[in-house]
Amino acid sequence: MPELPEVETTVRDLRKKVLGRIVEDIWCDFKKMIKKPASFEQFKKELKSKKIRKIWRRGKNILLGLSDGRTLLIHQKLTGHLLLGEWELKKGEWEAKIPGPLFADPTNKFLHLIFFLDNGQMLTLSDLRKFAKVELWDKKELGEELKSLGPEPLEKSFTFKKFKEALKGQKRKIKQVLMDQEVMAGIGNIYSDEILFEAKVNPFKETKRLNNKEAKKVYTAMGKILKKAIAVKGESISDFRRISGEKGEFDPLRKVYRREGEKCPRCGTKIVRKKIAGRSVHFCPQCQKV
DNA sequence: TGCAGTGTTGCTTC
DNA sequence: CGAAGCAACACTGC
């Protein structure tokens, strides 16, 4: 599940490897993932010969700025992840050259989209469940598209004061609010559980019932957990991999997510799993009392 | 064996 | 309007 730390990891890896590269050709076997422009042929035509000039992140979106001023937006959703391989020209046709160790990992074999680049590299999207979306936006439309996203949790400008304002008037439980991309952008199920454990706040806590001290703890834990996760290149409990195919190293640092029945590392109480609005939530019933 | 569980987003429903 | 439910999809585990 690529959330903010995984998307940030991908973006930093991409900057090192594909900045300045030119898209020579594109292959796709699941054209429904290309949402804009509507036709794949048009998408291919518009991307061909364009240079990748800028790479950044907004929430969970990967953004590639192109030499014609347009931007390629990739949202990996649940199981999508980008991988960097190589191609070679055989009998006048592109052929993907797949590094053995990378594609020996079963999560890396669901290739549905390939960008053939000008230096013999290929940037591919592996996505088991095929929920990922890819869009090509004009500059002025992109701003409109991203407008609904809330602030970036790690931006310096997202102060505790701004955080409290974002929580103001919320009628849902704190876990739901942290995961709402319009409130703040980039947090999903894994990191909301980990942040609330770190803050010792119960995920079922009604947001309006958080006192200043608790809100501060959630805010501080949010910064701490997200930065830590970025430093170790994200989690790989499920499908996420770095573009090299390597796993992120957050998994052993995970305190509660998917640890139902295991002992809380703080107090030894068994971690429980419950549901909030149809999604699983993991927490320590002792450390995180309502 | 079959079916619930997995979790992001956007659309539909209430 | 806001919140809940469900579909998009495919594989795993019970």
Side-chain angles (χ1 to χ4, degrees):
Chain A
M1 282 73 41
E3 301 179 26
L4 187 152
E6 290 73 37
V7 179
E8 182 64 26
T9 298
T10 299
V11 161
R12 290 181 184 185
D13 285 347
L14 284 174
R15 278 194 197 119
K16 283 183 225 154
K17 296 287 185 182
V18 305
L19 211 51
R21 298 271 61 86
I22 292 164
V23 178
E24 298 273 13
D25 204 355
I26 304 169
W27 170 89
C28 181
D29 74 345
F30 186 71
K31 298 181 170 62
K32 262 167 73 181
M33 74 164 62
I34 315 288
K35 308 287 183 193
K36 200 178 174 303
S39 111
F40 173 66
E41 287 312 313
Q42 189 66 19
F43 176 77
K44 188 152 100 171
K45 197 173 137 193
E46 291 179 13
L47 263 166
K48 252 186 182 174
S49 305
K50 302 297 186 298
K51 186 184 271 194
I52 301 166
R53 288 171 54 175
K54 192 182 163 192
I55 302 172
W56 75 106
R57 177 188 66 75
R58 180 73 176 93
K60 301 176 190 172
N61 297 286
I62 296 168
L63 298 157
L64 302 175
L66 305 170
S67 45
D68 64 354
R70 286 202 264 197
T71 301
L72 185 66
L73 180 156
I74 301 172
H75 194 303
Q76 309 176 103
K77 299 281 180 85
L78 272 79
T79 56
H81 55 285
L82 294 173
L83 296 163
L84 198 65
E86 292 177 349
W87 58 262
E88 58 188 352
L89 208 53
K90 273 202 177 161
K91 294 171 192 164
E93 300 220 353
W94 307 124
E95 185 169 305
K97 212 168 88 185
I98 294 165
L102 207 166
F103 288 89
D105 185 336
T107 196
N108 293 343
K109 68 183 185 193
F110 304 94
L111 306 187
H112 298 298
L113 177 66
I114 303 180
F115 298 97
F116 295 101
L117 307 177
D118 64 330
N119 63 344
Q121 289 182 316
M122 59 171 197
L123 184 60
T124 108
L125 179 64
S126 180
D127 186 10
L128 183 151
R129 288 175 71 177
K130 302 202 275 197
F131 285 177
K133 69 166 184 180
V134 177
E135 297 165 339
L136 189 55
W137 289 100
D138 286 336
K139 205 166 195 173
K140 55 176 187 261
E141 295 173 327
L142 181 72
E144 198 64 26
E145 173 66 14
L146 299 177
K147 209 172 64 179
S148 65
L149 288 176
E152 286 290 331
L154 294 181
E155 283 285 312
K156 280 211 171 64
S157 57
F158 192 53
T159 57
F160 178 52
K161 196 179 160 199
K162 293 267 170 61
F163 178 77
K164 276 199 296 184
E165 278 167 24
L167 301 191
K168 208 173 241 176
Q170 285 292 340
K171 290 172 184 163
R172 294 166 295 169
K173 303 174 188 359
I174 183 63
K175 159 125 177 142
Q176 292 171 286
V177 173
L178 288 179
M179 287 198 298
D180 186 334
Q181 303 303 297
E182 298 189 17
V183 175
M184 59 197 86
I187 297 170
N189 213 25
I190 299 175
Y191 294 107
S192 55
D193 277 2
E194 295 300 320
I195 288 165
L196 291 171
F197 176 80
E198 175 70 25
K200 300 185 187 174
V201 168
N202 189 288
F204 287 85
K205 184 104 183 177
E206 290 299 331
T207 303
K208 63 170 182 286
R209 301 227 172 275
L210 282 174
N211 62 33
N212 194 64
K213 201 176 155 190
E214 289 167 322
K216 183 85 190 198
K217 281 201 282 184
V218 175
Y219 175 77
T220 306
M222 177 180 75
K224 183 178 166 185
I225 296 286
L226 294 177
K227 281 179 196 163
K228 180 74 195 167
I230 292 171
V232 299
K233 320 293 181 189
E235 58 78 32
S236 287
I237 190 172
S238 177
D239 297 73
F240 174 74
R241 297 292 183 273
R242 299 177 65 180
I243 65 171
S244 58
E246 290 172 281
K247 291 184 177 186
E249 291 160 14
F250 189 77
D251 296 0
L253 305 179
R254 222 175 1 105
K255 304 284 174 58
V256 287
Y257 180 77
R258 286 207 195 169
R259 290 204 188 278
E260 182 186 20
E262 293 181 37
K263 284 183 176 175
C264 166
R266 273 195 305 243
C267 75
T269 306
K270 278 189 177 176
I271 303 297
V272 299
R273 180 166 66 113
K274 292 192 175 181
K275 291 269 182 194
I276 292 184
R279 315 180 120 117
S280 61
V281 42
H282 315 73
F283 63 100
C284 171
Q286 180 63 34
C287 296
Q288 295 169 271
K289 290 212 168 123
V290 187

